[in-house]
């Protein structure tokens, strides 16, 4: 039946049965369109040029896959029992009651050029157990329209087109909690498609260090899990990163005079070091491109992940090239060797510190909320990803790896929280009326009483406390910027810890100062609360920020004094808390 939007073609089984079966004769009624027009036959995956009744009947009879009106054809069927719709390649219909007066209404036809239908058939195919994000397909489509100078349809109309061309597709919501996306389940990109190359280019930095066999596995995994989403977000957010950072050189493994494990040669140890270095560089590359889910893929690849406890031959074949360089049996033995455990811990601390500084180069600089949330979601998933990827690796190595990863995740969470507080406080510090109210309320605080109560606990010198009080009021009165406040806080730390510089007592003194600072600030907030100060909310926000920033400064000063990275310092603390550090048993 003709509509104002275009031509539609209908077939009915000669026997009146519910569905066509291979070889069943079909009665096809075709109103031949303009010469040169092609027709896409729904459910057959074929386009008929210059369609005639005989030509279309032959295609449908050969495939036996015309779309039954009662089936799930994405809304393109007309809904009458025993009817089959074959859509013209220029127009693909929606469902519902239309205005054509035939009872097979198509009120919202979807426009699709023959080039677009052919493009879909050339680049995608149905397959079991795979999926693609809907957003990925639509991005591909927009690129196609740009190249062909076509007017793109909206995402909803494109969804109808996809379901018309690939019959029976299902939609699923896949991904980690809080970061899930809708996927077309049962659809993948063809191996011959140039779109694979497009996605490969997106990740060439991450894959350049990987063996060829692993690279092919990556492409398959990204197709099936939907990790290779094409997005402008990378370019949009990279301006907030320090993408120029390179991974520092790793030291050699310090054997400390210990013999190699039985069955391990020096070449095995060197190959482990090379593979580990390549693995860390690949992690840095995917992180620079904000492809956080690929970190899990990299971990699984390096640790030869398999669902079974022993690792069957099929799984090992996937890691064939890695097996040639370092058999998994040797990898397992090295994972129990103390010098390798220590070396891996140090390499992880170096890597993670670099990643923190790349993702958040300045904790006070404004970061878009979407990027902040992406980093926090990544931090939330880290430990579970790593633990799962290492399910067949000795517990000694798992403990070392998880301890460092936990410190990394905690640091990301703290720094993003600090950044969020900084942006909230920036608005307060730029508000003259709020600053004046804070000064007025602060001058009513009984600092003598605060010092009297706090000195019993903290034993701080009166003159030091008085100087800090005066400096704080002066800095507030000058309406300094957030960056100037940060410089003042840094000066306070330097001044208080100067007597302990180059002393082994420095870390302990720094932590003690942090406790005293927190106690004094809580006493001031208590006084403001009891006085029902009008600026209590502003002071509470400022106090949270300054406490968090002090923690940040002390963390870096202690790391500098010990000649370690802040991640390493936090990792040591975490390992003491969990009693999970097998390398330093005497630190309990």
């Amino acid at each position: 039946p003709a509509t104002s939007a275009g031509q539609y073609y209908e077939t009915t089984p000669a026997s009146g049965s519910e569905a066509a079966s291979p070889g069943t004769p079909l009665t096809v009624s075709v109103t031949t369109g303009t010469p040169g027009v092609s027709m896409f036959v729904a459910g057959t995956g074929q386009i008929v040029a210059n369609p005639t009744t005989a030509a279309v009947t032959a295609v449908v009879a050969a495939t036996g896959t015309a779309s039954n009106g009662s089936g799930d054809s994405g809304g393109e069927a007309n809904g009458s029992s025993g009817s089959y719709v074959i859509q013209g390649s220029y127009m693909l219909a929606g469902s519902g009651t239309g205005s054509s007066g035939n009872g097979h209404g198509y009120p919202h036809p979807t426009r699709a050029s023959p080039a677009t239908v052919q493009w879909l058939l050339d680049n995608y195919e149905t397959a079991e157990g795979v999926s693609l994000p809907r957003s990925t397909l639509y991005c591909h489509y927009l690129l196609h329209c740009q190249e062909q100078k076509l007017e793109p349809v909206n995402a909803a109309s494109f969804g109808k087109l996809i379901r018309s061309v690939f019959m029976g597709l299902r939609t699923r919501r896949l991904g980690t909690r809080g970061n899930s996306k809708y996927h077309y389940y049962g659809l993948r990109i063809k191996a011959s498609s140039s779109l694979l190359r497009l996605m490969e280019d997106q990740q060439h930095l991450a894959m350049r260090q990987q063996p060829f066999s692993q690279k092919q596995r990556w492409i398959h995994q990204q197709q099936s899990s939907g990790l290779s989403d094409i997005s402008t977000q990378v370019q949009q957010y990279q301006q907030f990163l320090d993408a120029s950072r390179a991974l520092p050189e790793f030291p050699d493994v310090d054997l400390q005079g210990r013999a190699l494990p039985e069955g391990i040669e020096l070449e095995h140890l060197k190959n482990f070091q090379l593979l580990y270095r390549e693995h860390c560089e690949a992690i840095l590359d995917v992180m620079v491109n904000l492809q956080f889910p690929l970190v899990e893929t990299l971990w699984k690849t390096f640790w030869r992940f398999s669902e079974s406890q022993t690792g069957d031959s099929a799984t090992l074949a996937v890691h064939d090239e890695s097996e040639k360089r370092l058999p998994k049996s040797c990898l397992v033995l090295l994972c129990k060797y103390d010098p390798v455990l220590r070396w891996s811990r140090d390499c992880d601390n170096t890597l993670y510190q670099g990643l923190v500084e790349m993702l958040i180069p300045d904790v006070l600089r404004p970061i878009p909320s979407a990027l902040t949330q992406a980093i926090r979601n990544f931090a939330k998933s880290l430990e579970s990803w790593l633990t799962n990827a290492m399910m067949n690796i000795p517990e000694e190595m798992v403990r070392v790896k998880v301890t460092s990863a936990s410190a990394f995740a905690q640091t990301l969470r703290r720094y993003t929280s600090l950044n969020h507080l900084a942006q909230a406080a920036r608005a307060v510090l730029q508000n003259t009326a709020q600053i004046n109210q804070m000064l007025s309320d602060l001058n009513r605080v009984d600092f003598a009483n605060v010092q009297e109560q706090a000195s019993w606990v903290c034993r701080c010198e009166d003159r030091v406390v008085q100087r800090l009080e005066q400096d704080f009021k002066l800095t507030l009165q000058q309406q300094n910027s957030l960056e100037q406040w940060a410089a003042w806080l840094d000066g306070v730390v330097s001044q208080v810890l100067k007597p302990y510089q180059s002393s082994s007592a420095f870390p302990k003194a720094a932590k003690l100062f942090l406790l005293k600072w927190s106690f004094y600030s809580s006493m001031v907030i208590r006084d403001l609360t009891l006085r029902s100060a009008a600026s209590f909310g502003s002071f509470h926000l400022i106090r949270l920020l300054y406490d968090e920033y002090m923690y940040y400064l002390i963390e870096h000063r202690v790391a500098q004094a010990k000649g370690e990275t802040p991640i390493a310092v936090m990792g040591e603390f975490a390992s003491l808390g969990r009693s999970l550090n097998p390398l330093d048993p005497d630190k309990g």
Side-chain angles (χ1 to χ4, degrees):
T3 70
S4 58
Q7 295 289 331
Y8 297 92
Y9 306 92
E10 184 178 303
T11 71
T12 48
S15 61
S17 61
E18 287 295 317
S21 59
T24 302
L26 293 167
T27 302
V28 181
S29 174
V30 175
T31 304
T32 305
T34 307
V37 172
S38 300
M39 178 194 299
F40 171 67
V41 185
T44 68
Q46 296 191 40
I47 293 178
V48 180
N50 301 319
T52 64
T53 298
V56 175
T57 300
V59 169
V60 176
T63 59
T65 53
S67 172
N68 188 288
S70 62
D72 178 16
S73 59
E76 286 76 25
N78 60 25
S80 62
S81 179
S83 297
Y84 300 86
V85 176
I86 299 174
Q87 296 108 322
S89 62
Y90 273 106
M91 303 297 299
L92 294 167
S95 60
T97 303
S99 56
S100 59
N102 54 30
H104 307 306
Y106 306 95
H108 304 294
T110 301
R111 186 176 300 276
S113 72
T116 296
V117 176
Q118 188 64 60
W119 172 79
L120 287 170
L121 295 172
D122 289 345
N123 289 282
Y124 300 94
E125 63 185 358
T126 55
E128 288 296 323
V130 296
S131 64
L132 274 177
R134 291 198 310 199
S135 57
T136 296
L137 257 69
Y138 190 63
C139 285
H140 290 175
Y141 167 67
L142 293 178
L143 290 173
H144 161 74
C145 290
Q146 187 178 26
E147 291 172 359
Q148 299 295 322
K149 294 182 171 56
L150 299 173
E151 183 74 23
V153 298
N154 61 32
S157 297
F158 180 68
K160 293 179 182 178
L161 171 60
I162 288 290
R163 289 176 175 273
S164 299
V165 175
F166 302 104
M167 311 300 285
L169 280 186
R170 288 169 292 166
T171 302
R172 288 186 178 180
R173 194 173 183 91
L174 303 174
T176 56
R177 188 174 183 181
N179 197 31
S180 59
K181 297 179 182 179
Y182 281 107
H183 289 62
Y184 288 118
Y185 190 76
L187 188 67
R188 69 183 179 192
I189 300 173
K190 286 185 175 180
S192 58
S193 171
S194 59
L195 293 174
L196 278 183
R197 177 62 182 169
L198 180 65
M199 290 191 295
E200 187 178 337
D201 288 342
Q202 287 273 316
Q203 293 146 7
H204 75 283
L205 289 175
M207 292 191 288
R208 69 186 178 193
Q209 302 292 342
Q210 298 299 308
F212 181 77
S213 59
Q214 293 178 19
K215 188 174 181 179
Q216 296 303 310
R217 177 166 171 78
W218 259 20
I219 292 172
H220 171 72
Q221 285 176 325
Q222 290 160 22
Q223 280 181 246
S224 59
S225 61
L227 298 180
S228 55
D229 194 7
I230 294 177
S231 171
T232 58
Q233 290 182 338
V234 175
Q235 295 176 347
Q236 179 183 346
Y237 294 136
Q238 271 190 333
Q239 61 178 304
F240 298 97
L241 313 179
D242 184 2
S244 63
R245 287 189 174 274
L247 190 63
E249 289 299 319
F250 291 162
D252 287 330
V253 176
D254 184 3
L255 299 181
Q256 299 178 328
R258 301 186 59 168
L260 290 171
E262 187 177 350
I264 294 295
E265 304 290 339
L266 194 57
E267 184 181 358
H268 293 141
L269 181 62
K270 289 180 178 178
N271 284 340
F272 174 81
Q273 289 179 260
L274 284 172
L275 284 168
Y276 204 85
R277 172 75 190 190
E278 292 169 4
H279 167 65
C280 291
E281 287 178 346
I283 289 177
L284 176 61
D285 288 338
V286 298
M287 293 286 286
V288 166
N289 287 291
L290 302 179
Q291 294 168 319
F292 299 131
L294 287 181
V295 172
E296 182 183 19
T297 305
L298 283 168
W299 276 334
K300 286 184 174 181
T301 301
F302 182 83
W303 297 108
R304 323 281 172 86
F305 171 80
S306 66
E307 296 290 350
S308 66
Q309 290 296 315
T310 56
D312 53 30
S313 57
T315 303
L316 294 178
V318 171
H319 305 296
D320 184 53
E321 193 160 335
S322 292
E323 280 294 306
K324 290 178 183 176
R325 297 175 68 182
L326 182 70
K328 185 169 182 179
S329 59
C330 296
L331 174 65
V332 169
L333 287 173
L334 286 169
C335 286
K336 300 177 182 179
Y337 185 47
D338 270 3
V340 167
L341 292 173
R342 293 177 185 276
W343 182 83
S344 300
R345 178 195 62 186
D346 293 342
C347 291
D348 280 359
N349 289 336
T350 300
L351 169 67
Y352 293 148
Q353 186 63 42
L355 292 179
V356 168
E357 293 169 6
M358 180 272 292
L359 289 171
I360 313 173
D362 183 350
V363 291
L364 300 180
R365 181 188 177 189
I367 298 175
S369 58
L371 178 57
T372 299
Q373 192 57 51
I375 293 172
R376 292 184 70 84
N377 288 340
F378 169 66
K380 192 187 301 182
S381 305
L382 267 179
E383 287 187 58
S384 61
W385 284 354
L386 182 58
T387 305
N388 184 49
M390 299 182 71
M391 70 162 55
N392 297 319
I393 298 300
E395 186 65 23
E396 297 92 328
M397 179 62 83
V398 175
R399 286 174 183 159
V400 169
K401 295 283 295 182
V402 169
T403 297
S404 295
S406 176
F408 176 43
Q410 184 195 56
T411 301
L412 289 177
R413 285 192 291 267
R414 285 198 300 105
Y415 287 12
T416 49
S417 295
L418 172 56
N419 185 267
H420 180 74
L421 283 171
Q423 305 333 310
R426 195 182 294 274
V428 172
L429 296 174
Q430 292 172 346
N431 189 311
T432 303
Q434 284 182 294
I435 293 295
N436 289 335
Q437 183 63 55
M438 290 172 72
L439 273 170
S440 175
D441 291 338
L442 193 62
N443 286 327
R444 294 191 180 96
V445 172
D446 187 350
F447 277 96
N449 183 51
V450 168
Q451 167 63 356
E452 186 178 330
Q453 293 184 59
S455 61
W456 184 74
V457 175
C458 300
R459 299 181 182 179
C460 291
E461 295 181 24
D462 288 349
R463 60 181 183 82
V464 174
V465 175
Q466 289 171 4
R467 186 169 65 248
L468 288 177
E469 175 196 341
Q470 292 167 2
D471 286 351
F472 185 92
K473 289 180 178 178
L474 181 62
T475 308
L476 190 63
Q477 191 172 4
Q478 292 172 341
Q479 298 190 22
N480 284 346
S481 67
L482 180 61
E483 285 71 23
Q484 289 171 317
W485 272 107
W488 178 76
L489 291 169
D490 190 76
V492 170
V493 173
S494 298
Q495 176 186 331
V496 171
L497 297 181
K498 189 176 182 179
Y500 304 96
Q501 211 66 37
S502 304
S503 166
S504 59
F506 185 91
K508 185 175 181 179
K511 293 175 186 177
L512 186 59
F513 166 69
L514 195 58
L515 289 172
K516 292 178 179 180
W517 171 274
S518 181
F519 187 82
Y520 266 96
S521 63
S522 67
M523 293 295 292
V524 173
I525 288 291
R526 172 180 174 274
D527 193 287
L528 288 166
T529 304
L530 293 175
R531 295 175 187 277
S532 300
S535 61
F536 169 78
S538 298
F539 269 114
H540 182 63
L541 178 62
I542 295 298
R543 185 262 172 121
L544 289 175
L545 171 64
Y546 291 1
D547 280 6
E548 195 68 39
Y549 193 68
M550 274 295 187
Y551 193 110
Y552 170 83
L553 291 173
I554 293 298
E555 171 188 76
H556 281 72
R557 295 296 180 92
V558 170
Q560 186 179 17
K562 299 181 72 172
E564 298 177 357
T565 62
I567 288 284
V569 170
M570 298 310 296
E572 288 175 7
F573 177 76
S575 67
L576 289 175
R578 296 182 179 200
S579 299
L580 279 182
N581 192 345
L583 306 179
D584 300 293
D586 58 331
K587 284 191 175 181

